[in-house]
């Protein structure tokens, strides 16, 4: 089954699935600053566009990532992405998915 | 706004968006054979997994594509994908989106 997730009143949406490579979401984020917590380890990989990322949210240095680049999110940590033009991303994650926090 | 599309009773789902690089969908397809028609030119690019593709649907030779590979779909033509393990894809398309046919 393909899961459907919605965050921040639909300004971030993702589809959730599993295949023989593991667990994934693919999603789209509209312009804005969006904070998420990863209950378990995941990677955020840009499929289209670029973004600035702060890890952990509210504390770390901002870094810019471009299409094809990814950053790792240790389990139990959070991050903020600053999106200026709508992006698509892929998010491989480990183990059983416990769900992002819905902010 | 992030559009949401559903085909084949939810066994194929996609999210639709636009950024300064153009018009896109990102989507997920469960195992099965799925036929789509492209009203306008588009590209189907694998983000996760592999699939076999027949262009045009019911007539062409089957070709296998792997992660990161893409095929072009001329406007007004159709294709069938054979999915054996759930895949994610990105679909850049040209011009104004008129929508896939909902089979």
């Amino acid at each position: 089954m393909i899961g459907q997730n919605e965050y921040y009143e639909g300004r971030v949406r993702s589809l959730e699935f599993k295949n023989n490579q593991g667990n994934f979401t693919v999603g789209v984020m509209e312009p804005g600053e969006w904070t998420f917590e990863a209950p378990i380890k995941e990677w955020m990989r840009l499929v289209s566009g670029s973004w600035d990322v702060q890890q952990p949210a509210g504390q770390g240095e901002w870094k810019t990532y471009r299409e094809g680049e990814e950053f790792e999110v240790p389990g139990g940590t959070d991050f903020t992405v600053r999106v200026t033009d709508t992006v698509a991303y892929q998010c491989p994650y480990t183990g059983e998915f416990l769900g992002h926090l819905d902010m």
Side-chain angles (χ1 to χ4, degrees), chain A:
Chain A
M1 227 201 74
I2 303 171
Q4 301 178 86
N5 303 308
E6 174 182 331
Y7 310 96
Y8 294 109
E9 299 173 332
R11 302 197 60 193
V12 176
R13 290 185 189 278
S14 70
L15 300 171
E16 194 174 328
F17 66 102
K18 183 187 295 203
N19 63 22
N20 63 22
Q21 297 175 276
N23 302 292
F24 296 89
T25 62
V26 288
V28 177
M29 296 190 189
E30 294 186 350
E33 283 194 17
W34 316 116
T35 297
F36 293 94
E37 179 174 313
I40 51 174
K41 186 175 173 178
E42 65 181 34
W43 294 263
M44 293 290 285
R45 184 180 303 157
L46 277 166
V47 171
S48 177
S50 68
W51 55 21
D52 299 323
V53 178
Q54 186 187 44
Q55 287 185 282
Q59 300 175 54
E61 275 185 32
W62 287 91
K63 290 186 192 169
T64 301
Y65 295 85
R66 302 182 197 290
E67 208 161 294
E69 294 181 342
E70 68 183 24
F71 61 94
E72 184 180 312
V73 188
T77 72
D78 60 5
F79 61 93
T80 299
V81 291
R82 184 187 288 145
V83 175
T84 55
D85 189 25
T86 301
V87 298
Y89 66 94
Q90 181 193 14
C91 173
Y93 61 88
T94 53
E96 191 181 349
F97 193 38
L98 304 173
H100 289 292
L101 292 184
D102 196 342
M103 303 288 182

